[in-house]
Every structure is written in C-alpha cells, then in structure tokens.
Amino acid sequence: MKLSVVVPLLNEQDNLVPLYEHVSAVLRDLGADYEFIFVDDGSTDESAARIAALHARDPRVKLLSFSRNFGHQTALSAGLDHATGDGVISMDADLQHPPDVIPQLVARWREGYDIVYTVRQSTDDVGLARRLVSGAFYRVFRWLSRLDLPANTADFRLLDRKVVLALRTLRERTRFLRGLNPWDGYRSIGVP
Ligand code: UDP
Ligand code: MG
C-alpha cells in the first residue's frame, strides 16, 4: 500500500518542516510506503527552497512549482494529477489539519470507503459572519446541485486511487473539488 500526501501551499516556509516531520512519523507508524507532493502555488518566500532541501534528504518528497499563484483548488488539482499512491491524502500546509487524524482516515479506507473526509468539530475560532456565509453557501450549493454535500468539511481527506482517476477526467477550469465527491458515486464517510 502506498499513500500520497498532496499539500498545496502559498508562502508557508516555516510550516513545511514541522508538517513533513509530523506526517512522516504518522505514516511510518502506519507502516505505509508514501510520497509527499508539495505544490508551490507561486510562493514568494523560501517555501520552494525548503522543499528542495527536504527532497535532498528524502527523495519521497516531490515538488511541483507554479509559475505564479493560480489558487488553492488548482494547486490541489495539480497534486492529484501527479499522485501515484493507492490512497491520496490532501491536506493544507498551515498546520490546521491535524496529522494525527490520518490513521483514522486510513482505517476507514481499509474498511472499504473510497472517500474519507474530515468534519470540523469546532468553529469557535471562525467569526459569525464567515459562519453565516459558509452556512448559506452550503445550503445554496445543495439546492442548486441536488447533491448531498456535507457541511463543515475541509480539504483534508483521503481519496482512493479510483476516485482520483475519476477526478482526472473532470476538467472544470473553476473547480470545487469537495463538491465533485458527492457526485462521483463512490462510497464516502466523514471522520470528526
Ligand atoms: N494556498 C494555496 N494557494 C493560494 C492560497 C492558499 O496553495 O492561493 C494554500 C495555503 O498555503 C494552505 C491551503 O492552501 O496550505 C489553504 O489555504 P488557507 O489556509 O489560506 O485557507 P483556509 O484555512 O482559510 O481555508
Ligand atoms: Mg488555513
């Protein structure tokens, strides 16, 4: 079993080594073969150099480097296009997605779920305005698309390789990856 960890990033120089170390330790404990695909979405800080230094130490670290900033969903899409794992985990670089949840994602995947997404347990740190806008967005999305898109999820999830291959055939230019998952028909489950 091989896992790919896809990490889109913009100016995250100080978070990359802590993220790499924490996730590597979790994956080693799982006994998994793995790779990191960092997608540098036009950083102007030392992010790309830090990733190159990690690659020199550990060839499982790979870097895709954009010519300019194209946005988080485009960076995530590029990472999914290059991932070679049987399971592909996407997570942010800013340490807001706890690596210690990864074993639960893998356990649910091994039970047979093709999409294992995470559900935020607390939004106390998010302002009222953002919570209202976010709630409205999910209601409108569900109504227009007739898809059962779960709320309070993040772009921190595990996708089986077959889901990643399905996503590669969908070539929207303005993508909302989270919204494509309830559409693709695969078996999914949330993890808190
Ligand atoms: N990010 C990116 N391109 C951008 C903006 C953000 O690749 O144009 C990365 C960022 O470094 C982080 C992830 O995408 O790893 C999520 O971004 P952010 O933390 O700003 O989103 P939020 O936490 O507000 O959802
Ligand atoms: Mg963030």
Side-chain angles (χ1 to χ4, degrees):
M1 175 194 71
K2 180 174 177 182
L3 291 169
S4 299
V5 180
V6 171
V7 185
L9 63 115
L10 176 66
N11 297 331
E12 302 279 5
Q13 60 178 19
D14 296 326
N15 295 325
L16 300 170
V17 171
L19 179 81
Y20 162 79
E21 282 176 353
H22 194 163
V23 173
S24 299
V26 169
L27 296 175
R28 269 198 306 272
D29 285 350
L30 280 171
D33 185 13
Y34 58 88
E35 67 178 356
F36 284 88
I37 307 213
F38 287 101
V39 188
D40 180 11
D41 186 16
S43 295
T44 51
D45 67 357
E46 294 298 306
S47 290
R50 299 276 164 95
I51 295 160
L54 283 175
H55 170 77
R57 253 165 68 189
D58 181 354
R60 286 171 295 204
V61 173
K62 291 161 192 168
L63 170 65
L64 296 174
S65 196
F66 282 4
S67 56
R68 65 161 169 87
N69 179 247
F70 284 90
H72 169 256
Q73 295 286 296
T74 304
L76 182 49
S77 296
L80 293 176
D81 287 349
H82 288 83
T84 63
D86 307 299
V88 180
I89 295 165
S90 59
M91 63 194 300
D92 289 351
D94 58 4
L95 309 176
Q96 288 178 336
H97 295 161
D100 292 328
V101 173
I102 289 174
Q104 294 179 61
L105 304 183
V106 172
R108 295 304 237 168
W109 175 48
R110 284 178 168 155
E111 281 169 28
Y113 290 99
D114 303 312
I115 300 162
V116 189
Y117 57 88
T118 59
V119 185
R120 273 190 208 96
Q121 293 304 283
S122 161
T123 47
D124 294 347
D125 55 332
V126 177
L128 178 67
R130 180 155 172 180
R131 246 179 300 169
L132 289 174
V133 171
S134 171
F137 169 79
Y138 279 95
R139 274 193 300 282
V140 171
F141 184 97
R142 276 196 287 261
W143 178 66
L144 287 174
S145 68
R146 307 280 190 264
L147 293 173
D148 190 17
L149 178 68
N152 291 327
T153 60
D155 282 312
F156 177 27
R157 61 181 163 269
L158 189 158
L159 302 176
D160 186 87
R161 176 152 199 87
K162 64 187 171 203
V163 178
V164 174
L165 294 178
L167 286 172
R168 284 183 194 168
T169 69
L170 304 174
R171 296 284 76 178
E172 283 84 358
R173 281 156 54 99
T174 311
R175 303 185 92 190
F176 178 51
L177 287 159
R178 219 180 292 170
L180 293 173
N181 282 151
W183 173 86
D184 63 29
Y186 287 114
R187 219 176 149 218
S188 79
I189 187 133
V191 164

